[in-house]
Amino acid sequence: MPKKILITEDSPTILAITKDALESAGYFVVCAVDGQEALDKTRKEQPDLIILDLMLPKIDGYKVCRMLKFDEKYKRIPIIIFTARTQESDVLLGKEVGANAYITKPFEPSILLDKIAELLKN
């Protein structure tokens, strides 16, 4: 049974590239294009891991991460913040809201895939 990964990304291009890379690696991929949809799909799909952009319509990625990490039902799901924001303050805020990893765009698919494999091993 392949692991299920939720990608939350509002850029259609980045979403397509990321989805292709994950499906090629054997993962089952579910997509969301805004923060509210990410929360709804997490509740419905119960993904094994979430890839979460920060700058999203409706609810930003920091809030989505915090809401999931403070919820008993979902706090064990690893979350990778996936963003173009590279400031140290952004990385620190990502850690504060409970993100398990922080990967900046543009990205190397191999780095993302290695991090996913590492987080799913636990």
Side-chain angles (χ1 to χ4, degrees):
M1 181 84 177
K3 295 285 189 183
K4 186 186 298 182
I5 298 178
L6 171 63
I7 303 171
T8 307
E9 172 61 63
D10 60 335
S11 158
T13 305
I14 294 171
L15 183 61
I17 291 167
T18 309
K19 185 174 192 274
D20 287 348
L22 297 184
E23 287 178 342
S24 296
Y27 295 108
F28 178 80
V29 178
V30 179
C31 302
V33 295
D34 64 55
Q36 185 59 56
E37 189 180 13
L39 290 172
D40 295 343
K41 288 208 170 162
T42 297
R43 293 176 182 126
K44 183 174 171 252
E45 301 283 346
Q46 301 285 318
D48 296 296
L49 183 140
I50 299 167
I51 296 172
L52 185 61
D53 188 14
L54 289 178
M55 295 175 277
L56 292 167
K58 298 192 180 166
I59 305 173
D60 74 45
Y62 289 123
K63 283 197 185 99
V64 172
C65 187
R66 186 172 21 238
M67 290 167 80
L68 292 172
K69 288 298 185 176
F70 283 88
D71 188 316
E72 265 319 299
K73 255 172 126 173
Y74 307 108
K75 71 180 190 184
R76 285 176 196 76
I77 300 172
I79 296 177
I80 298 174
I81 298 282
F82 188 54
T83 183
R85 298 177 74 153
T86 58
Q87 298 291 319
E88 189 61 32
S89 58
D90 295 318
V91 177
L92 287 172
L93 188 53
K95 287 190 172 118
E96 282 174 26
V97 296
N100 301 80
Y102 196 100
I103 293 178
T104 55
K105 301 177 223 168
F107 72 106
E108 281 295 321
S110 61
I111 291 172
L112 180 61
L113 290 169
D114 288 348
K115 183 53 73 177
I116 290 168
E118 177 190 317
L119 289 170
L120 288 176
K121 264 194 297 212
N122 301 340

